[in-house]
Amino acid sequence: MDSTAIETTVRSVLGHHGKLSEDAGTIAADADLYRAGMTSHASVNVMLGLEDEFDIEFPEERLTKATFTSINSITEAVEAINND
Amino acid sequence: MTDHAVLTDTPQRGAEDTDRAERVAARAEAVAAVAREFADAVDSESRFPREAIDEARNQGLLAAPIPEADGGLGYSITELCRMLERVGRECTSTAMILAMHHSQVLCLTRHADTDFLRDYTRRVAAEGLLLASATTEAQIGGDTRNSTCAVRPIEDGRVALHKSCPVISYGAYADAILVTARRSEDAASSDQVLLVVEAENLQLDRQRGWDALGMRGTCSESFELDATTPADAMFTVLFETISAQTMLPAAHCLWASAWLGMATQAGLTARSVVQKAARKTPGTTPPSAMRLAELEVQLQSMTDVVRASVARYEAAWDDPAVSESMQFAIAMNTLKVSGAEAVRRIVGDAMVIVGITAFANRSPVSLARLYRDSIGPSVMVNNDRILLHTATLQLVSRGQR
């Protein structure tokens, strides 16, 4: 799966679970998702959605706020886990 | 060279460190002495422990975590927590007020990011100001990461705010209150800011007084809060960040340390009573000594959990990657739950060991006030809510500690 396809799925999961005050489909890929209203509670639901969609598990060292800060950071993490 | 030389050659703590440790201990001792003297009056009158808080101010302890360059004492989180253990042995209300105050002071020392906030931090040190907190809100159910109220810009670079606060501990006695609110009237409920509101710009309309079973001096009354404050009294950094890095872990470490002090005091009381009985029957271990041994298991476990958690926070102090990690959040959540349950069990078990003289309200070994206080930690932030939050995190955690 290329990074564009990953990003599309990430945006879809964020739309369902991120509870953002902006549209997850159009928010800038480098925008701070916490600034856009995502809580740590919502971010867990985003993680669960991503793990289901991509059939992956985020390793402990990626379970930090930095991983889920933006669409770019999430997409990079998913790609890195896929390549491991 | 004798074998003893090995001992003398082991690295000694420098004279400077020893001096500092002695000064830190002496300040805590001074506050503890005043807290002990007035603890019964504070409890029976359900009033603010002004004498002990004044003594803390006299000792410079209200500014303890503020850097020395800014007029404070430069205490580490470990030094703060040890001070609360000591005060917690004497007066729960005083210890809890100091714990809540320092959770707010640490938000300033670690996150003040406007000229107003940096200047206000120095004023807290220079004037010995007392800070309270208004994070919970009516209809939010105690979830501090959501707000209904919102900041509204008004004239002269100021903002206005109205908030319905189910609890502001010692709100009527604080020089300023740190309040959470939505960033603007069209912001999401989780898009929050933290702002400092000084008492002179604050109107508190009391909705409910404070006549509770325990922790009677915290004066945790309910208010309608109306305030204005300069726009730069708002932290620029997100409340999410302040909450994760400082407010939540600091509060839980400071509270749990105060509770450890309470449990320690109950344990010392039980120990002295059992030892007194033992002196009457040398050669025969009194039956209560067995219960004291059981109590020791709990006390050792609580002491180790609390102090290890404080050490963990100290180690993560300058590393947001750690303090914002899931395993750290889980550790700080479980600290609150385990500390609250441990203090309730330990004080209750100590009461049973000492017996009727501990049950009596007026007795040199009374544990009645401490027993009533020991229920407080389990209800002041509901353990079930914290467990539910932890349960959510557990859905993705890989279980590393």
Side-chain angles (χ1 to χ4, degrees):
Chain A
M1 191 182 258
D2 66 17
S3 55
T4 316
I6 292 174
E7 182 181 319
T8 305
T9 308
V10 168
R11 285 180 184 277
S12 157
V13 170
L14 275 169
H16 281 108
H17 305 294
K19 293 196 173 161
L20 304 180
S21 51
E22 293 178 51
D23 184 345
T26 54
I27 190 172
D30 60 353
D32 186 327
L33 297 173
Y34 293 95
R35 287 241 170 236
M38 186 171 71
T39 61
S40 61
H41 187 270
S43 74
V44 169
N45 292 328
V46 169
M47 289 175 211
L48 287 170
L50 292 167
E51 291 187 342
D52 189 47
E53 282 291 336
F54 294 108
D55 194 21
I56 56 170
E57 277 192 5
F58 288 96
E60 188 82 47
E61 63 270 18
R62 290 199 184 269
L63 296 178
T64 66
K65 196 175 159 186
T67 303
F68 299 91
T69 289
S70 68
I71 287 170
N72 279 344
S73 64
I74 298 174
T75 304
E76 280 165 27
V78 170
E79 273 190 299
I81 294 165
N82 274 335
N83 291 336
D84 273 351
Chain B
M1 193 181 261
T2 67
D3 287 345
H4 296 290
V6 177
L7 282 177
T8 19
D9 284 349
T10 48
Q12 299 285 316
R13 224 162 34 162
E16 206 173 286
D17 287 350
T18 311
D19 283 355
R20 181 179 175 90
E22 282 172 5
R23 282 199 304 275
V24 164
R27 287 190 201 101
E29 226 30 76
V31 177
V34 177
R36 177 168 58 236
E37 185 181 349
F38 291 96
D40 280 336
V42 164
D43 177 65
S44 64
E45 296 163 30
S46 191
R47 69 159 174 85
F48 182 73
R50 59 177 184 277
E51 298 87 351
I53 298 300
D54 282 350
E55 182 60 25
R57 181 181 293 111
N58 293 339
Q59 295 290 336
L61 283 175
L62 293 187
I66 297 175
E68 285 167 311
D70 290 323
L73 298 174
Y75 271 31
S76 66
I77 185 71
T78 305
E79 288 172 321
L80 274 182
C81 286
R82 292 296 195 278
M83 184 260 289
L84 288 173
E85 279 186 35
R86 182 64 193 91
V87 178
R89 282 177 47 194
E90 309 297 350
C91 174
T92 306
S93 294
T94 302
M96 288 308 290
I97 289 168
L98 290 175
M100 291 185 269
H101 163 76
H102 283 309
S103 312
Q104 307 309 308
V105 177
L106 286 168
C107 291
L108 279 172
T109 60
R110 283 163 60 78
H111 303 285
D113 55 5
T114 70
D115 286 342
F116 177 95
L117 292 170
R118 280 185 287 268
D119 182 54
Y120 192 75
T121 309
R122 288 187 282 269
R123 277 187 54 203
V124 170
E127 300 170 33
L129 303 179
L130 182 68
L131 308 180
S133 157
T135 47
T136 55
E137 185 172 8
Q139 278 106 45
I140 291 293
D143 174 9
T144 60
R145 284 292 292 109
N146 277 294
S147 289
T148 303
C149 68
V151 167
R152 185 165 47 82
I154 53 170
E155 67 280 3
D156 302 331
R158 296 179 71 84
V159 295
L161 173 72
H162 175 91
K163 185 166 186 172
S164 300
C165 305
V167 175
I168 308 180
S169 289
Y170 59 95
Y173 303 89
D175 296 298
I177 301 182
L178 274 67
V179 191
T180 47
R182 284 185 297 137
R183 177 179 305 282
S184 66
E185 282 171 320
D186 49 9
S189 66
S190 57
D191 186 5
Q192 295 166 294
V193 289
L194 182 67
L195 53 154
V196 174
V197 179
E198 294 182 69
E200 64 198 40
N201 298 321
L202 188 64
Q203 197 181 331
L204 291 176
D205 187 6
R206 184 182 287 108
Q207 303 296 300
R208 175 182 52 70
W210 179 247
D211 181 8
L213 181 68
M215 297 192 173
R216 289 168 57 78
T218 59
C219 303
S220 303
E221 301 171 316
S222 165
F223 298 100
E224 290 291 319
L225 177 153
D226 266 297
T228 70
T229 199
D232 62 351
M234 245 184 319
F235 290 77
T236 312
V237 61
L238 286 174
F239 179 62
E240 166 91 23
T241 304
I242 299 175
S243 174
Q245 292 184 10
T246 305
M247 196 184 275
L248 192 142
H252 289 192
C253 285
L254 292 161
W255 297 347
S257 297
W259 304 340
L260 175 57
M262 297 163 66
T264 300
Q265 185 62 34
L268 289 169
T269 305
R271 179 183 304 275
S272 73
V273 168
V274 171
Q275 290 180 346
K276 205 170 173 184
R279 285 181 209 122
K280 296 197 188 309
T281 58
T284 313
T285 304
S288 56
M290 188 70 175
R291 298 284 97 86
L292 188 65
E294 285 178 345
L295 192 71
E296 185 62 18
V297 174
Q298 296 187 62
L299 265 170
Q300 187 65 58
S301 155
M302 182 183 188
T303 306
D304 289 350
V305 168
V306 172
R307 290 188 177 167
S309 299
V310 173
R312 181 176 191 155
Y313 187 26
E314 177 102 53
W317 198 248
D318 294 319
D319 191 349
V322 177
S323 62
E324 291 186 341
S325 71
M326 188 162 287
Q327 48 178 294
F328 183 76
I330 290 173
M332 291 299 132
N333 279 347
T334 56
L335 168 63
K336 193 273 165 184
V337 175
S338 74
E341 290 182 352
V343 69
R344 190 161 49 82
R345 277 199 312 270
I346 289 169
V347 176
D349 288 357
M351 166 91 75
V352 174
I353 292 171
V354 177
I356 198 76
T357 47
F359 191 64
N361 276 320
R362 300 277 172 259
S363 134
V365 290
S366 173
L367 291 174
R369 170 167 50 80
L370 205 48
Y371 182 75
R372 290 185 283 101
D373 288 343
S374 74
I375 316 293
S378 292
V379 297
M380 59 180 274
V381 178
N382 191 290
N383 283 349
D384 282 349
R385 186 175 313 111
I386 294 179
L387 279 175
L388 192 60
H389 183 234
T390 308
T392 308
L393 300 179
Q394 291 281 62
L395 299 177
V396 286
S397 160
R398 306 297 162 227
Q400 285 181 27
R401 295 183 177 83

